[in-house]
Amino acid sequence: MKKIIITGAGGFIGAHLAEHLLKKQHKVYGIDIKKEYMYNLCQYDNFVPIEASFLEYDQLIEKIGEKDFDLFYHFAWQGVFGDSFKDYEMQLNNVKFACDALMIAKKIECKKFVFAGTINEFEVKKYLNKDYFEPRYTCIYASCKMLSEMIAKTLAFNNEIEYSAGLIAMAYGEGNRSNMLPNVVMRQLINSEVPKLIEGNNLYDLIYIDDIVRAFEAIGFKGKNMKSYYVGHRKLKKFKEWLEDLKNIVNPNIELLFGEYKDTLDMDYSIIDTDALYEDTGFECKADFEESILATVEWLKEN
């Protein structure tokens, strides 16, 4: 049994990871703004709920009340889609609190800190050596994720705590209440509406929540120190192919309108090692796309 802390334990990924680890009999301390956000986890005897907003992180050591932990997963982050990307003050505050979380992990004698990053960090890296580029507002969010990584890695190295990260591709699954693209398109297809999309000839990736959970378990338990991993499929498809497959599962009678919007993202997968997590831990995505989409659709209908 391991002792594990998860911030954002009431959120989409944090809640699923917490439940997965609880079922394996690990003791999980879940941190979120309100205890009711973690209601479903409180049924487990090995779960300890802790209420704390970012502004109360200076009280976390007292709230946790113990030391000698194995893993500290940091998922808590304000503003992960939509107009929140424009709020640079919010995004910069996230950086501070991510670094605060790292130092809290050190003070409670935690062996390893695991950060949840984003594939969009690679988008920012692609721009670094260019004289001119046209960044999306998403780059504010991605830049702050990348800045969190750089500072947290520095703090971890100099404070002798292990550090790993997972950079997540586009996520979907039950419990995701956001307006991220998979949810928007699935809701439109459920309602027999015609999604208007980009041309979609760029490489893309969609990853189901069960695979994300298994990936972060692998990163925490087996990931190498000071290494950030791509969390997604090892073999990729074009955006258009993913969306056609999704449509054929949910509502095959709809014709998708590709090319209605300008392609603003062309992720350079040549700079992404999609095999690293497999090579270091043995992880690879296993979720059946049709089954996972149908499960997500049923959840969306009910919620």
mmCIF file of all heavy atoms in Angstrom, residues 138-177:
data_model
loop_
_atom_site.group_PDB
_atom_site.id
_atom_site.type_symbol
_atom_site.label_atom_id
_atom_site.label_comp_id
_atom_site.label_asym_id
_atom_site.label_seq_id
_atom_site.Cartn_x
_atom_site.Cartn_y
_atom_site.Cartn_z
ATOM 1 N N THR A 138 -4.732 29.705 -26.550
ATOM 2 C CA THR A 138 -4.351 28.477 -25.851
ATOM 3 C C THR A 138 -2.890 28.504 -25.430
ATOM 4 O O THR A 138 -2.504 27.856 -24.451
ATOM 5 C CB THR A 138 -4.602 27.265 -26.769
ATOM 6 O OG1 THR A 138 -5.935 27.314 -27.271
ATOM 7 C CG2 THR A 138 -4.407 25.956 -26.013
ATOM 8 N N CYS A 139 -2.082 29.275 -26.154
ATOM 9 C CA CYS A 139 -0.651 29.323 -25.847
ATOM 10 C C CYS A 139 -0.361 29.989 -24.501
ATOM 11 O O CYS A 139 0.703 29.766 -23.923
ATOM 12 C CB CYS A 139 0.112 30.023 -26.973
ATOM 13 S SG CYS A 139 0.197 29.040 -28.492
ATOM 14 N N ILE A 140 -1.286 30.826 -24.008
ATOM 15 C CA ILE A 140 -1.108 31.392 -22.662
ATOM 16 C C ILE A 140 -1.184 30.263 -21.639
ATOM 17 O O ILE A 140 -0.319 30.125 -20.757
ATOM 18 C CB ILE A 140 -2.168 32.470 -22.372
ATOM 19 C CG1 ILE A 140 -1.995 33.661 -23.327
ATOM 20 C CG2 ILE A 140 -2.088 32.926 -20.912
ATOM 21 C CD1 ILE A 140 -3.071 34.715 -23.192
ATOM 22 N N TYR A 141 -2.216 29.447 -21.771
ATOM 23 C CA TYR A 141 -2.383 28.274 -20.902
ATOM 24 C C TYR A 141 -1.192 27.333 -21.030
ATOM 25 O O TYR A 141 -0.606 26.906 -20.022
ATOM 26 C CB TYR A 141 -3.687 27.581 -21.304
ATOM 27 C CG TYR A 141 -3.848 26.149 -20.877
ATOM 28 C CD1 TYR A 141 -4.091 25.806 -19.552
ATOM 29 C CD2 TYR A 141 -3.810 25.115 -21.826
ATOM 30 C CE1 TYR A 141 -4.274 24.484 -19.172
ATOM 31 C CE2 TYR A 141 -3.990 23.793 -21.448
ATOM 32 C CZ TYR A 141 -4.217 23.484 -20.132
ATOM 33 O OH TYR A 141 -4.399 22.181 -19.764
ATOM 34 N N ALA A 142 -0.818 27.013 -22.271
ATOM 35 C CA ALA A 142 0.277 26.068 -22.500
ATOM 36 C C ALA A 142 1.605 26.609 -21.991
ATOM 37 O O ALA A 142 2.424 25.868 -21.435
ATOM 38 C CB ALA A 142 0.369 25.750 -23.987
ATOM 39 N N SER A 143 1.840 27.919 -22.174
ATOM 40 C CA SER A 143 3.083 28.525 -21.695
ATOM 41 C C SER A 143 3.186 28.440 -20.177
ATOM 42 O O SER A 143 4.269 28.210 -19.623
ATOM 43 C CB SER A 143 3.174 29.987 -22.141
ATOM 44 O OG SER A 143 3.254 30.086 -23.548
ATOM 45 N N CYS A 144 2.048 28.612 -19.501
ATOM 46 C CA CYS A 144 2.056 28.537 -18.036
ATOM 47 C C CYS A 144 2.241 27.100 -17.553
ATOM 48 O O CYS A 144 2.901 26.868 -16.534
ATOM 49 C CB CYS A 144 0.773 29.149 -17.476
ATOM 50 S SG CYS A 144 0.735 30.955 -17.627
ATOM 51 N N LYS A 145 1.702 26.151 -18.290
ATOM 52 C CA LYS A 145 1.967 24.751 -17.962
ATOM 53 C C LYS A 145 3.463 24.459 -18.113
ATOM 54 O O LYS A 145 4.077 23.800 -17.264
ATOM 55 C CB LYS A 145 1.153 23.839 -18.873
ATOM 56 C CG LYS A 145 -0.307 23.693 -18.499
ATOM 57 C CD LYS A 145 -0.505 22.765 -17.312
ATOM 58 C CE LYS A 145 -1.958 22.422 -17.079
ATOM 59 N NZ LYS A 145 -2.179 21.498 -15.954
ATOM 60 N N MET A 146 4.052 24.947 -19.208
ATOM 61 C CA MET A 146 5.464 24.702 -19.466
ATOM 62 C C MET A 146 6.336 25.418 -18.437
ATOM 63 O O MET A 146 7.343 24.874 -17.962
ATOM 64 C CB MET A 146 5.830 25.159 -20.878
ATOM 65 C CG MET A 146 7.214 24.722 -21.335
ATOM 66 S SD MET A 146 7.444 24.869 -23.118
ATOM 67 C CE MET A 146 7.416 26.646 -23.293
ATOM 68 N N LEU A 147 5.941 26.648 -18.059
ATOM 69 C CA LEU A 147 6.685 27.383 -17.033
ATOM 70 C C LEU A 147 6.614 26.650 -15.695
ATOM 71 O O LEU A 147 7.614 26.555 -14.973
ATOM 72 C CB LEU A 147 6.119 28.795 -16.902
ATOM 73 C CG LEU A 147 6.769 29.711 -15.857
ATOM 74 C CD1 LEU A 147 8.265 29.867 -16.129
ATOM 75 C CD2 LEU A 147 6.078 31.066 -15.842
ATOM 76 N N SER A 148 5.429 26.122 -15.370
ATOM 77 C CA SER A 148 5.286 25.335 -14.142
ATOM 78 C C SER A 148 6.247 24.160 -14.150
ATOM 79 O O SER A 148 6.884 23.846 -13.137
ATOM 80 C CB SER A 148 3.851 24.817 -14.007
ATOM 81 O OG SER A 148 2.928 25.866 -13.868
ATOM 82 N N GLU A 149 6.332 23.505 -15.295
ATOM 83 C CA GLU A 149 7.242 22.365 -15.415
ATOM 84 C C GLU A 149 8.692 22.765 -15.168
ATOM 85 O O GLU A 149 9.416 22.106 -14.424
ATOM 86 C CB GLU A 149 7.117 21.766 -16.817
ATOM 87 C CG GLU A 149 5.998 20.766 -16.952
ATOM 88 C CD GLU A 149 6.462 19.570 -17.742
ATOM 89 O OE1 GLU A 149 7.153 18.715 -17.153
ATOM 90 O OE2 GLU A 149 6.156 19.514 -18.935
ATOM 91 N N MET A 150 9.112 23.853 -15.802
ATOM 92 C CA MET A 150 10.513 24.256 -15.685
ATOM 93 C C MET A 150 10.878 24.646 -14.254
ATOM 94 O O MET A 150 11.927 24.267 -13.737
ATOM 95 C CB MET A 150 10.812 25.406 -16.648
ATOM 96 C CG MET A 150 10.782 25.011 -18.117
ATOM 97 S SD MET A 150 11.847 23.583 -18.481
ATOM 98 C CE MET A 150 13.442 24.178 -17.924
ATOM 99 N N ILE A 151 9.993 25.420 -13.611
ATOM 100 C CA ILE A 151 10.279 25.838 -12.240
ATOM 101 C C ILE A 151 10.189 24.651 -11.295
ATOM 102 O O ILE A 151 11.055 24.457 -10.425
ATOM 103 C CB ILE A 151 9.328 26.964 -11.796
ATOM 104 C CG1 ILE A 151 9.506 28.201 -12.685
ATOM 105 C CG2 ILE A 151 9.592 27.327 -10.331
ATOM 106 C CD1 ILE A 151 8.533 29.327 -12.384
ATOM 107 N N ALA A 152 9.151 23.826 -11.465
ATOM 108 C CA ALA A 152 8.979 22.671 -10.579
ATOM 109 C C ALA A 152 10.139 21.687 -10.725
ATOM 110 O O ALA A 152 10.616 21.127 -9.726
ATOM 111 C CB ALA A 152 7.650 21.981 -10.863
ATOM 112 N N LYS A 153 10.601 21.474 -11.949
ATOM 113 C CA LYS A 153 11.760 20.596 -12.151
ATOM 114 C C LYS A 153 12.992 21.143 -11.443
ATOM 115 O O LYS A 153 13.762 20.395 -10.823
ATOM 116 C CB LYS A 153 12.051 20.443 -13.645
ATOM 117 C CG LYS A 153 11.188 19.426 -14.363
ATOM 118 C CD LYS A 153 11.620 19.295 -15.815
ATOM 119 C CE LYS A 153 10.794 18.234 -16.533
ATOM 120 N NZ LYS A 153 11.184 18.110 -17.960
ATOM 121 N N THR A 154 13.167 22.449 -11.540
ATOM 122 C CA THR A 154 14.310 23.082 -10.884
ATOM 123 C C THR A 154 14.223 22.926 -9.372
ATOM 124 O O THR A 154 15.217 22.577 -8.702
ATOM 125 C CB THR A 154 14.383 24.574 -11.246
ATOM 126 O OG1 THR A 154 14.461 24.705 -12.676
ATOM 127 C CG2 THR A 154 15.591 25.239 -10.615
ATOM 128 N N LEU A 155 13.032 23.177 -8.827
ATOM 129 C CA LEU A 155 12.836 23.032 -7.381
ATOM 130 C C LEU A 155 13.029 21.582 -6.951
ATOM 131 O O LEU A 155 13.642 21.310 -5.918
ATOM 132 C CB LEU A 155 11.437 23.515 -6.997
ATOM 133 C CG LEU A 155 11.173 25.020 -7.134
ATOM 134 C CD1 LEU A 155 9.686 25.315 -6.934
ATOM 135 C CD2 LEU A 155 12.011 25.813 -6.130
ATOM 136 N N ALA A 156 12.492 20.657 -7.754
ATOM 137 C CA ALA A 156 12.607 19.245 -7.411
ATOM 138 C C ALA A 156 14.066 18.799 -7.395
ATOM 139 O O ALA A 156 14.520 18.121 -6.466
ATOM 140 C CB ALA A 156 11.808 18.406 -8.400
ATOM 141 N N PHE A 157 14.815 19.196 -8.427
ATOM 142 C CA PHE A 157 16.218 18.798 -8.531
ATOM 143 C C PHE A 157 17.025 19.323 -7.349
ATOM 144 O O PHE A 157 17.821 18.592 -6.744
ATOM 145 C CB PHE A 157 16.809 19.314 -9.839
ATOM 146 C CG PHE A 157 18.263 18.994 -10.009
ATOM 147 C CD1 PHE A 157 18.670 17.736 -10.425
ATOM 148 C CD2 PHE A 157 19.238 19.944 -9.736
ATOM 149 C CE1 PHE A 157 20.018 17.439 -10.563
ATOM 150 C CE2 PHE A 157 20.591 19.657 -9.877
ATOM 151 C CZ PHE A 157 20.980 18.393 -10.293
ATOM 152 N N ASN A 158 16.813 20.582 -7.000
ATOM 153 C CA ASN A 158 17.604 21.204 -5.943
ATOM 154 C C ASN A 158 17.116 20.863 -4.538
ATOM 155 O O ASN A 158 17.822 21.115 -3.566
ATOM 156 C CB ASN A 158 17.627 22.722 -6.141
ATOM 157 C CG ASN A 158 18.508 23.122 -7.313
ATOM 158 O OD1 ASN A 158 19.726 23.158 -7.201
ATOM 159 N ND2 ASN A 158 17.895 23.411 -8.456
ATOM 160 N N ASN A 159 15.913 20.295 -4.445
ATOM 161 C CA ASN A 159 15.397 19.883 -3.136
ATOM 162 C C ASN A 159 15.327 18.366 -2.991
ATOM 163 O O ASN A 159 14.737 17.855 -2.036
ATOM 164 C CB ASN A 159 14.013 20.498 -2.903
ATOM 165 C CG ASN A 159 14.084 21.976 -2.574
ATOM 166 O OD1 ASN A 159 14.280 22.353 -1.422
ATOM 167 N ND2 ASN A 159 13.922 22.817 -3.592
ATOM 168 N N GLU A 160 15.914 17.679 -3.966
ATOM 169 C CA GLU A 160 16.069 16.224 -3.902
ATOM 170 C C GLU A 160 14.734 15.499 -3.723
ATOM 171 O O GLU A 160 14.570 14.657 -2.835
ATOM 172 C CB GLU A 160 17.054 15.835 -2.793
ATOM 173 C CG GLU A 160 18.447 16.386 -3.021
ATOM 174 C CD GLU A 160 19.437 15.980 -1.941
ATOM 175 O OE1 GLU A 160 18.999 15.740 -0.800
ATOM 176 O OE2 GLU A 160 20.638 15.899 -2.238
ATOM 177 N N ILE A 161 13.777 15.826 -4.587
ATOM 178 C CA ILE A 161 12.528 15.085 -4.673
ATOM 179 C C ILE A 161 12.354 14.677 -6.129
ATOM 180 O O ILE A 161 12.638 15.451 -7.042
ATOM 181 C CB ILE A 161 11.325 15.920 -4.164
ATOM 182 C CG1 ILE A 161 10.018 15.133 -4.319
ATOM 183 C CG2 ILE A 161 11.232 17.270 -4.855
ATOM 184 C CD1 ILE A 161 8.821 15.818 -3.680
ATOM 185 N N GLU A 162 11.925 13.457 -6.367
ATOM 186 C CA GLU A 162 11.742 12.989 -7.742
ATOM 187 C C GLU A 162 10.600 13.744 -8.419
ATOM 188 O O GLU A 162 9.631 14.149 -7.770
ATOM 189 C CB GLU A 162 11.457 11.487 -7.770
ATOM 190 C CG GLU A 162 12.660 10.626 -7.478
ATOM 191 C CD GLU A 162 12.398 9.168 -7.800
ATOM 192 O OE1 GLU A 162 11.640 8.882 -8.756
ATOM 193 O OE2 GLU A 162 12.939 8.317 -7.089
ATOM 194 N N TYR A 163 10.732 13.912 -9.728
ATOM 195 C CA TYR A 163 9.726 14.650 -10.506
ATOM 196 C C TYR A 163 9.479 13.911 -11.815
ATOM 197 O O TYR A 163 10.419 13.499 -12.499
ATOM 198 C CB TYR A 163 10.218 16.067 -10.802
ATOM 199 C CG TYR A 163 9.315 16.849 -11.747
ATOM 200 C CD1 TYR A 163 8.385 17.751 -11.255
ATOM 201 C CD2 TYR A 163 9.390 16.679 -13.131
ATOM 202 C CE1 TYR A 163 7.553 18.458 -12.109
ATOM 203 C CE2 TYR A 163 8.567 17.386 -13.990
ATOM 204 C CZ TYR A 163 7.643 18.268 -13.474
ATOM 205 O OH TYR A 163 6.820 18.966 -14.327
ATOM 206 N N SER A 164 8.201 13.762 -12.165
ATOM 207 C CA SER A 164 7.801 13.288 -13.492
ATOM 208 C C SER A 164 6.540 14.039 -13.893
ATOM 209 O O SER A 164 5.851 14.619 -13.048
ATOM 210 C CB SER A 164 7.520 11.780 -13.495
ATOM 211 O OG SER A 164 8.680 11.036 -13.235
ATOM 212 N N ALA A 165 6.250 14.033 -15.187
ATOM 213 C CA ALA A 165 5.044 14.709 -15.672
ATOM 214 C C ALA A 165 4.426 13.928 -16.815
ATOM 215 O O ALA A 165 5.106 13.170 -17.517
ATOM 216 C CB ALA A 165 5.368 16.133 -16.119
ATOM 217 N N GLY A 166 3.136 14.133 -16.995
ATOM 218 C CA GLY A 166 2.417 13.573 -18.133
ATOM 219 C C GLY A 166 1.779 14.702 -18.916
ATOM 220 O O GLY A 166 1.054 15.521 -18.355
ATOM 221 N N LEU A 167 2.072 14.781 -20.215
ATOM 222 C CA LEU A 167 1.527 15.823 -21.082
ATOM 223 C C LEU A 167 0.378 15.208 -21.872
ATOM 224 O O LEU A 167 0.586 14.392 -22.776
ATOM 225 C CB LEU A 167 2.614 16.378 -22.010
ATOM 226 C CG LEU A 167 3.557 17.438 -21.404
ATOM 227 C CD1 LEU A 167 4.230 16.952 -20.139
ATOM 228 C CD2 LEU A 167 4.602 17.856 -22.417
ATOM 229 N N ILE A 168 -0.836 15.614 -21.514
ATOM 230 C CA ILE A 168 -2.044 14.899 -21.927
ATOM 231 C C ILE A 168 -2.566 15.388 -23.282
ATOM 232 O O ILE A 168 -2.698 16.590 -23.517
ATOM 233 C CB ILE A 168 -3.148 15.065 -20.866
ATOM 234 C CG1 ILE A 168 -2.604 14.722 -19.477
ATOM 235 C CG2 ILE A 168 -4.347 14.180 -21.190
ATOM 236 C CD1 ILE A 168 -3.514 15.161 -18.341
ATOM 237 N N ALA A 169 -2.902 14.437 -24.162
ATOM 238 C CA ALA A 169 -3.569 14.751 -25.422
ATOM 239 C C ALA A 169 -5.035 15.100 -25.131
ATOM 240 O O ALA A 169 -5.441 15.202 -23.973
ATOM 241 C CB ALA A 169 -3.466 13.563 -26.371
ATOM 242 N N MET A 170 -5.853 15.293 -26.173
ATOM 243 C CA MET A 170 -7.256 15.672 -25.986
ATOM 244 C C MET A 170 -8.025 14.555 -25.292
ATOM 245 O O MET A 170 -8.138 13.443 -25.811
ATOM 246 C CB MET A 170 -7.894 15.995 -27.331
ATOM 247 C CG MET A 170 -9.345 16.441 -27.235
ATOM 248 S SD MET A 170 -9.604 17.927 -26.220
ATOM 249 C CE MET A 170 -8.946 19.195 -27.316
ATOM 250 N N ALA A 171 -8.559 14.861 -24.102
ATOM 251 C CA ALA A 171 -9.195 13.856 -23.261
ATOM 252 C C ALA A 171 -10.705 13.810 -23.469
ATOM 253 O O ALA A 171 -11.340 14.812 -23.789
ATOM 254 C CB ALA A 171 -8.890 14.154 -21.800
ATOM 255 N N TYR A 172 -11.267 12.612 -23.260
ATOM 256 C CA TYR A 172 -12.724 12.473 -23.262
ATOM 257 C C TYR A 172 -13.100 11.342 -22.309
ATOM 258 O O TYR A 172 -12.253 10.539 -21.897
ATOM 259 C CB TYR A 172 -13.258 12.189 -24.667
ATOM 260 C CG TYR A 172 -12.904 10.824 -25.218
ATOM 261 C CD1 TYR A 172 -13.790 9.751 -25.106
ATOM 262 C CD2 TYR A 172 -11.685 10.588 -25.847
ATOM 263 C CE1 TYR A 172 -13.482 8.498 -25.608
ATOM 264 C CE2 TYR A 172 -11.361 9.337 -26.355
ATOM 265 C CZ TYR A 172 -12.260 8.290 -26.225
ATOM 266 O OH TYR A 172 -11.940 7.049 -26.718
ATOM 267 N N GLY A 173 -14.383 11.289 -21.954
ATOM 268 C CA GLY A 173 -14.842 10.214 -21.082
ATOM 269 C C GLY A 173 -15.889 10.674 -20.094
ATOM 270 O O GLY A 173 -16.179 11.879 -19.967
ATOM 271 N N GLU A 174 -16.462 9.721 -19.385
ATOM 272 C CA GLU A 174 -17.489 10.017 -18.401
ATOM 273 C C GLU A 174 -16.927 10.903 -17.292
ATOM 274 O O GLU A 174 -15.839 10.661 -16.803
ATOM 275 C CB GLU A 174 -18.021 8.721 -17.779
ATOM 276 C CG GLU A 174 -18.534 7.698 -18.776
ATOM 277 C CD GLU A 174 -17.480 6.679 -19.174
ATOM 278 O OE1 GLU A 174 -16.364 7.103 -19.568
ATOM 279 O OE2 GLU A 174 -17.773 5.472 -19.094
ATOM 280 N N GLY A 175 -17.693 11.912 -16.924
ATOM 281 C CA GLY A 175 -17.257 12.825 -15.869
ATOM 282 C C GLY A 175 -16.639 14.104 -16.385
ATOM 283 O O GLY A 175 -16.415 15.037 -15.612
ATOM 284 N N ASN A 176 -16.373 14.173 -17.688
ATOM 285 C CA ASN A 176 -15.817 15.400 -18.274
ATOM 286 C C ASN A 176 -16.962 16.354 -18.597
ATOM 287 O O ASN A 176 -17.699 16.148 -19.565
ATOM 288 C CB ASN A 176 -15.028 15.062 -19.537
ATOM 289 C CG ASN A 176 -14.283 16.272 -20.091
ATOM 290 O OD1 ASN A 176 -14.526 17.402 -19.673
ATOM 291 N ND2 ASN A 176 -13.387 16.034 -21.021
ATOM 292 N N ARG A 177 -17.098 17.391 -17.790
ATOM 293 C CA ARG A 177 -18.208 18.327 -17.947
ATOM 294 C C ARG A 177 -17.828 19.565 -18.757
ATOM 295 O O ARG A 177 -18.585 20.521 -18.851
ATOM 296 C CB ARG A 177 -18.724 18.766 -16.569
ATOM 297 C CG ARG A 177 -19.237 17.611 -15.725
ATOM 298 C CD ARG A 177 -19.758 18.060 -14.368
ATOM 299 N NE ARG A 177 -20.208 16.932 -13.579
ATOM 300 C CZ ARG A 177 -21.417 16.382 -13.667
ATOM 301 N NH1 ARG A 177 -22.307 16.886 -14.503
ATOM 302 N NH2 ARG A 177 -21.743 15.345 -12.918
#
